[in-house]
Amino acid sequence: MGSMLSSQMGSVMDENMKKQQDFMMKNQQTMMERNIVMQNEMRERQMAMGIARAREIIKYYAGFYSFVLVGGLAGAMKGRPAAAIPLIPFSFILAFQYDAAYGTLLSRVRDGANSIIKDEHDLLGLPKGLPTFETIEEGRLARKQ
């Protein structure tokens, strides 16, 4: 009688333990999904800030470039063609800034990153490999002393 009761208790406990493990697994999955969504949202916000910043920078740079353009062309018309020389490098800088703010620079950078991940993954390794619990704990204890 006692052994029958203990075997029933054991199966109930096993069933409860399995339910608890399933609950914990689903809870961890939900937490991980939330973390992924949160990290992606933060990444999108940071990228949006970067694009907005690039668009603000180009406004100021376009004003500066216009000033240099007018001055360089005026100097060239007065017989000093060397006055227009600064327009060459400034034109490249303006083109880059415009591409970063309104062009396809980010798409090309993303495509390049995908290519590196796919074809040159060995370049992405960390020095000494991925950190482990042991190496982190070792560093923590070393700092504690």
Side-chain angles (χ1 to χ4, degrees):
M1 176 103 165
S3 66
M4 193 155 93
L5 182 62
S6 68
S7 73
Q8 285 178 348
M9 288 291 287
S11 68
V12 169
M13 288 177 60
D14 289 343
E15 187 177 318
N16 285 340
M17 181 180 261
K18 174 126 178 67
K19 285 180 183 179
Q20 182 69 20
Q21 287 174 340
D22 288 344
F23 171 77
M24 288 173 61
M25 184 63 78
K26 287 177 183 176
N27 193 29
Q28 286 178 340
Q29 182 178 355
T30 301
M31 286 177 59
M32 184 177 285
E33 289 170 355
R34 286 179 179 155
N35 280 336
I36 290 169
V37 169
M38 181 188 66
Q39 288 176 358
N40 189 54
E41 190 170 320
M42 292 303 295
R43 180 193 61 81
E44 287 176 350
R45 289 179 184 190
Q46 288 174 339
M47 287 184 72
M49 287 290 292
I51 293 168
R53 184 175 187 278
R55 289 180 179 177
E56 284 299 312
I57 288 172
I58 198 165
K59 290 176 188 174
Y60 287 97
Y61 190 78
F64 169 73
Y65 182 80
S66 299
F67 179 73
V68 172
L69 177 67
V70 170
L73 292 178
M77 292 172 134
K78 289 185 178 182
R80 291 178 279 152
I85 290 176
L87 292 174
I88 296 169
F90 287 141
S91 296
F92 284 102
I93 295 170
L94 179 64
F96 176 80
Q97 291 291 338
Y98 183 84
D99 194 24
Y102 296 102
T104 59
L105 177 71
L106 286 177
S107 297
R108 292 191 316 271
V109 168
R110 185 177 28 252
D111 292 344
N114 285 333
S115 175
I116 290 169
I117 290 170
K118 180 182 172 199
D119 301 328
E120 303 174 72
H121 196 267
D122 58 316
L123 297 176
L124 303 177
L126 292 171
K128 296 184 176 182
L130 284 175
T132 63
F133 175 78
E134 290 79 15
T135 59
I136 293 170
E137 191 66 11
E138 191 177 289
R140 184 187 70 83
L141 292 174
R143 285 187 189 97
K144 199 173 185 180
Q145 294 175 353

